[in-house]
Amino acid sequence: MSLPLPLRLTLFYTLLLGLCLAGFGYLVYHQASQQAYNDLDNLLKSRAASIRLGKDLLIGSNTITPGQPFKLPGVDELGSEGVAVEIFDAQLNLLATTSDVSASNNVPITSMNTNPSPVPWDARAIHQLLARLTANSSAILPTDNIFNGIYSTVIYEGQIVRVYTTANNPLGTMQIIQTAHSELSIQQTLEQLRQTLFLGGLLGLLLALSGGLCLTWSTLAALRRVTRTAHEISLSQNFKRRVSLKRRWERDEITTLAETFNTMLANLDASYQQQKRFVADASHELRAPITSIRCNLDLLARVPDLPGEEQEAALADARTEADRMGRLVNHLLTLARADEIATIQGEPQTNRSSSSESAREPLVDLDSLVLEVFRQYRGVGGEQEQHRGPRLTLQHITPVQVHGAADQLKQAVVALIDNALKYTPAEGSVTLALSVEDQEAILKVCDTGIGIAPEDLPHIFERFYRADLAHSRDQGGSGLGLAIAASIIQTHHGQIDVESKPGQGSIFSLRLPSL
């Protein structure tokens, strides 16, 4: 069973925090421990140096009796925070100590316990020091008569005692000095530090765990809301639903995600409504020719002795509707292929990728293509055609080449000319012009027709859209010409713009990247 995402995130970051606290605590404890023991060593060494310099020995040097240990005045004993000191001659006879001296056995006793302190504190260290002195007697100079000391540890009264052993040579007499101090206070201090670091780290982890859990749980609540909304939308197919957003002053990444999701829902809703409208319009457009063909076939089947003229008329009507239905199906297939190409290409790509894709397409002489379409329309009926419909004229044509499919580009140009001729009265005119600006080939189709209302301009490239909104077939079109032209130009990395005023005509501008 997997853990919830908020708990997993909280545990992960709590683990990282615990590792960081453990590492930091180890460094703090190690530094404090090293500093405490260094301070203890320096204390023992400085106390021995003060004895060596005679600050304590020389005070009572005249009263020292051989064989009678001298009590060093004003010095704390081992049981307190002070340093215990013992001074021996070369034969390890005790000369002075910080402890009280028993006259009966000459054994120093500390004032804080009844057990005698060791004499010496560390005999092994003294022997090591004497051996070094014997081996390096030439190294002891009158100006520097102290030998490098030896640090050691001994167990006394269940305590670990740090001992420093060094040599002194006042007035030519060899003396061994040992200073000692218990490590109990250091151990107690370090133990308190360990407890403090442990409890502080544990408290920090608990606070981080609880705070992180609350934070991630509340933050991911918005994600759960988005997920729940998406699930409900998928079940109900209601793309009008939206994810509730936070207040403006509480914007964060989750709010941005919710806005993006709402934008996606709006686009899906628009696409869904467009698809529904497309299916309804396609069904409507196909129903009419199918109904007409069926009626004519039913008529021929029910009335076998129908006069020949009427039979020919019924068959001609059925053939006309079949041709119209075939054109509609072809248009739908063209749009389906364009949608497939757009899906493969995906989102708009960089100029570099678009250029590389265009470079692989064949070159098309756009000026020759426009002239070919112009000659086709002029050659339909000659001068007689000119009197039956609007006049088609040709303005300046600039030679230009573009990358693309000639058949598809020709289909787009034909669609624009058909649309212009269809909505231009017989006394009007349609003009073609081809120019080049900023490495773009611009084909303009201008007409003096009925124009397009401003509220219809954003929708004229939609499939099956007609400005009258009645889907009439008075002009004999399917409502797919401009949609096909827009799809073709889009697949060729171009665009179509339109300017129009009702009653004054329209100008369609087709732009394609040129060489």
Side-chain angles (χ1 to χ4, degrees):
M1 180 179 180
S2 60
L3 296 176
L5 180 59
L7 183 57
R8 280 185 285 166
L9 289 175
T10 303
L11 291 177
F12 175 72
Y13 287 110
T14 302
L15 177 61
L16 291 182
L17 178 61
L19 294 177
C20 293
L21 290 177
F24 176 75
Y26 173 78
L27 292 178
V28 170
Y29 180 81
H30 179 73
Q31 186 69 21
S33 176
Q34 187 176 16
Q35 185 64 39
Y37 283 106
N38 287 339
D39 291 343
L40 176 58
D41 290 345
N42 292 333
L43 175 63
L44 297 177
K45 185 174 182 179
S46 63
R47 186 69 182 92
S50 67
I51 298 297
R52 179 181 63 81
L53 293 175
K55 295 179 180 179
D56 294 311
L57 271 182
L58 296 180
I59 292 177
S61 59
N62 296 329
T63 61
I64 296 178
T65 303
Q68 180 64 36
F70 173 71
K71 175 65 170 69
L72 293 174
V75 180
D76 291 335
E77 298 176 357
L78 177 66
S80 63
E81 293 300 324
V83 177
V85 181
E86 292 178 350
I87 304 175
F88 303 88
D89 58 14
Q91 290 73 34
L92 297 187
N93 295 317
L94 184 62
L95 301 179
T97 181
T98 55
S99 302
D100 291 334
V101 181
S102 173
S104 58
N105 52 16
N106 293 336
V107 176
I109 304 297
T110 63
S111 60
M112 298 193 66
N113 58 73
T114 58
N115 294 327
S117 58
V119 179
W121 280 100
D122 192 351
R124 181 179 179 181
I126 294 177
H127 291 302
Q128 290 179 356
L129 184 61
L130 291 175
R132 292 182 182 180
L133 290 173
T134 301
N136 301 279
S137 58
S138 60
I140 301 179
L141 301 176
T143 56
D144 189 10
N145 56 6
I146 186 170
F147 188 78
N148 291 333
I150 298 176
Y151 289 100
S152 59
T153 55
V154 297
I155 304 298
Y156 172 68
E157 292 286 327
Q159 302 180 24
I160 299 177
V161 179
R162 187 71 166 170
V163 179
Y164 177 70
T165 305
T166 186
N168 188 33
N169 191 19
L171 302 178
T173 303
M174 174 62 66
Q175 295 177 348
I176 305 298
I177 303 174
Q178 277 195 337
T179 54
H181 192 284
S182 174
E183 297 181 2
L184 179 62
S185 59
I186 296 178
Q187 294 174 351
Q188 292 176 346
T189 301
L190 293 178
E191 179 63 26
Q192 293 176 356
L193 179 61
R194 280 198 301 268
Q195 294 179 359
T196 301
L197 291 175
F198 177 77
L199 294 178
L202 183 60
L203 179 60
L205 290 178
L206 291 177
L207 292 177
L209 183 63
S210 58
L213 188 60
C214 294
L215 181 61
T216 54
W217 195 271
S218 60
T219 301
L220 294 178
L223 288 179
R224 292 193 296 272
R225 187 169 60 249
V226 173
T227 304
R228 184 172 57 252
T229 303
H231 181 67
E232 293 175 354
I233 291 174
S234 65
L235 294 178
S236 62
Q237 295 294 316
N238 181 16
F239 295 108
K240 297 186 181 298
R241 285 280 306 274
R242 297 295 182 267
V243 179
S244 60
L245 300 176
K246 294 183 178 180
R247 293 186 294 271
R248 186 174 298 275
W249 55 86
E250 295 180 351
R251 294 180 57 86
D252 53 13
E253 289 77 5
I254 305 299
T255 305
T256 304
L257 174 63
E259 290 180 348
T260 305
F261 188 76
N262 287 339
T263 302
M264 182 189 68
L265 286 176
N267 294 333
L268 285 176
D269 184 42
S271 299
Y272 182 66
Q273 296 300 327
Q274 183 179 5
Q275 183 184 20
K276 289 176 60 178
R277 186 168 60 251
F278 174 76
V279 172
D281 293 339
S283 301
H284 176 80
E285 294 292 336
L286 290 173
R287 184 184 299 113
I290 291 175
T291 301
S292 177
I293 293 173
R294 180 181 295 173
C295 291
N296 286 300
L297 293 178
D298 289 342
L299 177 63
L300 293 175
R302 288 197 304 268
V303 187
D305 55 349
L306 192 68
E309 296 81 4
E310 295 184 10
Q311 290 182 0
E312 290 294 334
L315 291 175
D317 186 43
R319 187 180 300 109
T320 301
E321 293 298 330
D323 292 339
R324 178 173 170 237
M325 186 169 60
R327 290 194 301 270
L328 179 61
V329 172
N330 289 332
H331 289 168
L332 293 176
L333 290 176
T334 301
L335 290 174
R337 284 194 295 267
D339 291 341
E340 182 179 2
I341 294 175
T343 302
I344 294 175
Q345 291 180 346
E347 295 296 325
Q349 302 172 354
T350 61
N351 293 333
R352 176 181 176 183
S353 61
S354 297
S355 300
S356 62
E357 288 182 3
S358 298
R360 294 193 296 267
E361 297 177 349
L363 289 176
V364 177
D365 293 327
L366 189 60
D367 53 315
S368 301
L369 187 147
V370 173
L371 290 174
E372 179 183 350
V373 174
F374 175 75
R375 285 192 296 267
Q376 289 178 359
Y377 275 88
R378 288 294 297 256
V380 170
E383 293 297 327
Q384 183 180 359
E385 183 71 12
Q386 297 287 335
H387 296 289
R388 291 192 303 165
R391 183 166 51 93
L392 181 63
T393 61
L394 194 66
Q395 285 187 346
H396 58 276
I397 297 294
T398 302
V400 63
Q401 288 184 324
V402 297
H403 287 284
D407 293 339
Q408 294 183 8
L409 293 176
K410 183 178 180 179
Q411 186 177 5
V413 175
V414 168
L416 294 179
I417 296 177
D418 277 341
N419 182 77
L421 294 174
K422 187 184 303 180
Y423 294 101
T424 301
E427 63 274 10
S429 64
V430 176
T431 305
L432 302 180
L434 179 62
S435 61
V436 179
E437 295 180 7
D438 298 331
Q439 294 185 344
E440 278 189 338
I442 303 176
L443 173 64
K444 290 187 177 181
V445 180
C446 308
D447 65 67
T448 58
I450 61 177
I452 305 172
E455 61 271 14
D456 295 325
L457 280 176
H459 307 287
I460 61 173
F461 295 106
E462 295 179 3
R463 301 169 185 181
F464 293 110
Y465 184 85
R466 293 194 182 93
D468 57 6
L469 298 180
H471 298 276
S472 63
R473 298 190 304 278
D474 297 338
Q475 305 296 335
S478 62
L480 296 175
L482 293 180
I484 292 175
S487 298
I488 292 174
I489 299 305
Q490 184 178 6
T491 58
H492 285 73
H493 310 289
Q495 64 180 16
I496 295 182
D497 301 323
V498 59
E499 299 176 7
S500 182
K501 292 183 179 180
Q504 299 182 16
S506 305
I507 301 177
F508 285 83
S509 299
L510 186 155
R511 298 174 180 268
L512 288 171
S514 64
L515 297 183

